[in-house]
Amino acid sequence: MAATILGLDSTSVRPQPAFRCQQSENGGWTASHTIIVTRAGFDTAGIQSLFAKGALLTGVDANIPSFFNFLKITDVSVSAEEGDLITLEVNAAGSSASQYELGDGSGLDIDSLPTYELRGQLSDAGFQHHRKWLPLSSTDRTLLGDFLMGKFSYNITDGLLYQVTESGADVVNAEQLTAADAKSFAALIQQGQTTYERSQYTWTESTEGAGQLTEPQLNKLGLIATPRGTPPDAGGTRNWKLVSASQSQQGELFRTTLEWQLSDSGGHNAFLYDS
């Protein structure tokens, strides 16, 4: 007959009263629990299997409310003090909901709690991306492109392009810029400026749940897509593209972040990025 210590024997698992569980703003749950076993019991395969990573926390303590039967053990720390008792601090995680209602990721589970963030920032971009560059005639764009490559210089006073020659002689180019905006770009380039501050908006969704990203979701990265949630309406011909997808795992709890980027006027190139 197994010897007992304070009512414990080698088959005993004694949960302590302080079961703690917390739900995040995205719907995932994390929990911690303290369990006491004997040294003799800790060395048995039966006890160790109860605390294996991925095992149900309710398998350790049947008195945990049945609602939490999705919590699975993520890690365990062991404290062996003097005497024959061992204390185990058990952490678990999980979710009562899958992150996505449909296999293609087009809908969220009704019990999921996504959070959203809109972020706008400025970054440097070449003049060729500017909204006033695109409407220029093909001749003006070509001349400005050659100017950027060092084939011309521009005289701000007379508004003329001059060929760059080995002799340094001023040779007026046969073709000249015609649009006022083209000449404004040329003046900036002549003064050494070739970029402008371009606005970029991203819409980010963060969720937690029991499901991994699906194959259709993985294949949407880099394609034009409508974000979930309620992103602001930019109007006109601008649209969104899925530009980032990341997922981390704690036990059976998956944390997913998806990020969409808003295009400039005219939308993302449909030939390259349409699904």
Side-chain angles (χ1 to χ4, degrees), residues 121 198 200-203 225 227 239-244 259-263 268:
Q121 61 186 14
R198 179 185 189 184
Q200 289 187 323
Y201 285 94
T202 55
W203 178 255
N239 56 18
W240 296 90
K241 180 173 65 175
L242 182 62
V243 296
S244 176
E259 186 174 275
W260 293 264
Q261 187 176 84
L262 185 64
S263 72
H268 294 290

Side-chain angles (χ1 to χ4, degrees), residues 153-252:
S153 64
Y154 181 73
N155 188 303
I156 298 176
T157 302
D158 62 23
L160 296 177
L161 290 171
Y162 289 81
Q163 297 177 11
V164 175
T165 62
E166 294 183 0
S167 65
D170 291 335
V171 179
V172 177
N173 193 61
E175 289 187 301
Q176 291 293 327
L177 300 170
T178 56
D181 284 347
K183 294 180 180 180
S184 295
F185 278 121
L188 291 171
I189 296 169
Q190 183 64 36
Q191 295 169 12
Q193 183 175 346
T194 58
T195 64
Y196 73 104
E197 291 184 324
R198 179 185 189 184
S199 64
Q200 289 187 323
Y201 285 94
T202 55
W203 178 255
T204 302
E205 175 191 272
S206 300
T207 59
E208 293 180 348
Q212 291 181 302
L213 288 171
T214 64
E215 180 180 342
Q217 287 175 299
L218 294 173
N219 291 334
K220 286 184 178 180
L221 184 61
L223 298 179
I224 296 169
T226 301
R228 285 187 291 268
T230 54
D233 184 6
T237 56
R238 305 177 78 176
N239 56 18
W240 296 90
K241 180 173 65 175
L242 182 62
V243 296
S244 176
S246 62
Q247 189 170 73
S248 61
Q249 181 179 357
Q250 181 183 6
E252 294 301 312

Side-chain angles (χ1 to χ4, degrees), residues 60-131:
V60 174
D61 184 358
N63 291 320
I64 294 175
S66 60
F67 171 78
F68 295 111
N69 59 9
F70 53 81
L71 290 173
K72 293 188 177 181
I73 294 174
T74 59
D75 59 275
V76 179
S77 59
V78 179
S79 176
E81 306 294 340
E82 292 186 6
D84 290 323
L85 297 180
I86 289 180
T87 301
L88 298 97
E89 300 292 341
V90 183
N91 294 317
S95 175
S96 61
S98 59
Q99 292 185 81
Y100 303 102
E101 179 184 15
L102 303 175
D104 63 358
S106 59
L108 290 164
D109 189 286
I110 192 172
D111 294 321
S112 67
L113 301 172
T115 56
Y116 295 96
E117 178 187 8
L118 177 69
R119 185 172 66 254
Q121 61 186 14
L122 297 177
S123 60
D124 286 343
F127 284 155
Q128 63 270 29
H129 299 291
H130 196 278
R131 59 183 177 82

